[in-house]
Amino acid sequence: MWAMIGTWRMALEGIELASKILEQGGNVGDSIESAIKYIENFPYYKSVGYGGLPNENMQVELDAAYMDGSTFDFGACGAVRNIKNPISLAKALSKFDTNNFLVGPGAENYASKIGLEMVNMLTDRAKIHYKNRLYEENQTNEKKDLKPYIGHDTVGICALDSNLNIAAGTSTSGLFMKKQGRLGDSPVLGSGLYADSSIGAASATGLGEDLMKGCISYQIVMNMKNGMSPQEACQHAVMSLEEILRKKRDKCGDLSVVAIDKDGNFGVATNIEGFSFVYQSSNHPAKVYVTYQEDGKTRYKQASDKWLEDYMEKRMAPLIKLYE
Ligand code: ASP
């Protein structure tokens, strides 16, 4: 048995590609790296890797992390520029006992030292999005709130290989217009991801500042350890974090999570409408699902052909320059 789950529709092609590695008895870490690399390299996904939306200074700063649930190796990088595949840096760093979470120029120097490809990650499309945003803010004389999910999301992948190893990886350009140096949950162990091969793995996307307050991926894995199914574990973690944030702060950002257990069963929960995810396993073809809420719980259904077509059309549509 092998299985893979990823946040958002954008995980589809990466998961399909990486599932070939798992199908041939390959290693979970290689499958996660190859899935995430595909997504990082695809220029039309504006929330991960090349083509990711920039910070308020028009710089693309990327975060990524990798955790091996069999060895507890963990590596991460934050606020890195010009590294083509931040997931590869995170995975390389996970091999060390120390110095395994690097940020900024230190991480960039190390990446080029070990021969990772360095490229300018700011695309012309990303520049148009940035300039349009400034134009809109100038028109209204008001700065827009920083929000996830405006086509802007982290890819988080959890996988199980046929040797029963579980791992998780994340990659993101973080919130559009964030401050330089801002880190979200994605590279933070226990928040953006967590994996333990004897239990399962989880990964999150949404408002990093709030997801971190619940150490949500760790919480989900602990919920599974305590006997919950992946679905119950995800649902419980999202609902309790939302409840506690509303009680203490009167507000709660977007929270969405995916998980798998050691038998390859999956779970998903969110406090928004329309969170999408991809699941594939040795006995389940790759499918995109879209969530909805019913009786206060997250449910999901397979994405329709129309939904899938609209998704890609929207991603690749020509951009209008509002500022010209
Ligand atoms: N969680 C990411 C962050 O806060 C953003 C996202 O998943 O949309 O950086």
Side-chain angles (χ1 to χ4, degrees):
M1 170 81 185
W2 56 263
M4 256 191 151
I5 189 164
T7 54
W8 304 107
R9 148 69 185 86
M10 67 179 157
L12 179 64
E13 293 82 6
I15 285 189
E16 282 174 333
L17 186 80
S19 66
K20 299 210 167 65
I21 299 176
L22 295 177
E23 228 161 48
Q24 286 159 16
N27 173 263
V28 73
D30 296 337
S31 74
I32 286 181
E33 185 180 4
S34 100
I36 294 183
K37 269 173 94 168
Y38 180 92
I39 300 154
E40 289 175 338
N41 293 344
F42 190 70
Y44 291 95
Y45 295 146
K46 56 186 179 174
S47 54
V48 175
Y50 185 67
L53 293 181
N55 65 16
E56 63 175 14
N57 301 337
M58 211 172 80
Q59 300 149 330
V60 180
E61 288 194 334
L62 305 161
D63 307 332
Y66 172 77
M67 182 175 190
D68 181 318
S70 297
T71 57
F72 270 22
D73 287 346
F74 172 73
C77 55
V80 297
R81 293 191 219 161
N82 304 324
I83 299 177
K84 188 172 179 217
N85 293 114
I87 187 64
S88 299
L89 176 60
K91 189 159 171 276
L93 291 170
S94 76
K95 298 289 164 225
F96 302 116
D97 292 332
T98 55
N99 292 317
N100 49 346
F101 191 171
L102 300 183
V103 298
E108 290 149 19
N109 291 343
Y110 182 74
S112 74
K113 200 170 127 195
I114 61 169
L116 293 183
E117 203 175 330
M118 308 296 284
V119 285
N120 178 4
M121 302 296 273
L122 183 66
T123 60
D124 288 343
R125 278 179 82 83
K127 276 189 209 161
I128 297 173
H129 282 294
Y130 176 85
K131 288 181 188 166
N132 278 350
R133 171 79 160 227
L134 288 191
Y135 174 86
E136 282 167 358
E137 289 183 346
N138 279 339
Q139 290 299 100
T140 54
N141 234 336
E142 221 178 307
K143 270 206 167 284
K144 290 192 183 185
D145 289 343
L146 295 193
K147 278 199 187 127
Y149 300 151
I150 314 167
H152 200 71
D153 335 290
T154 300
V155 66
I157 293 192
C158 304
L160 161 78
D161 70 22
S162 47
N163 293 315
L164 308 183
N165 297 303
I166 290 180
T170 56
S171 185
T172 189
S173 50
L175 300 183
F176 181 29
M177 296 306 233
K178 64 189 178 182
K179 290 245 171 293
Q180 184 180 354
R182 178 256 183 199
L183 295 178
D185 60 305
S186 309
V188 176
L189 185 56
S191 290
L193 74 171
Y194 196 76
D196 182 334
S197 297
S198 61
I199 307 165
S203 186
T205 172
L207 184 63
E209 285 75 359
D210 279 0
L211 290 160
M212 284 190 274
K213 293 181 171 106
C215 301
I216 196 156
S217 293
Y218 181 75
Q219 183 62 56
I220 293 167
V221 175
M222 289 307 111
N223 287 349
M224 292 194 277
K225 186 179 183 179
N226 293 329
M228 289 187 202
S229 69
Q231 186 56 34
E232 290 165 345
C234 288
Q235 187 69 61
H236 196 269
V238 167
M239 279 168 70
S240 9
L241 182 55
E242 163 134 28
E243 196 185 306
I244 197 161
L245 290 177
R246 292 212 180 276
K247 214 180 269 171
K248 287 186 185 286
R249 301 166 62 77
D250 228 10
K251 58 187 173 199
C252 174
D254 295 342
L255 318 170
S256 301
V257 297
V258 295
I260 52 166
D261 68 9
K262 62 179 174 23
D263 301 314
N265 303 308
F266 72 90
V268 53
T270 177
N271 62 354
I272 61 156
E273 289 285 335
F275 169 57
S276 59
F277 68 97
V278 179
Y279 175 75
Q280 181 170 9
S281 78
S282 37
N283 43 37
H284 183 289
K287 278 187 189 158
V288 178
Y289 295 92
V290 185
T291 64
Y292 59 97
Q293 306 290 337
E294 197 177 73
D295 307 327
K297 295 226 163 114
T298 300
R299 315 264 184 226
Y300 50 86
K301 55 176 186 272
Q302 203 182 323
S304 66
D305 290 346
K306 166 101 178 61
W307 189 97
L308 292 169
E309 259 166 48
D310 288 353
Y311 176 91
M312 233 24 195
E313 212 177 286
K314 217 165 140 194
R315 294 296 165 298
M316 301 180 77
L319 296 177
I320 296 160
K321 294 180 185 167
L322 302 174
Y323 49 89
E324 270 179 5

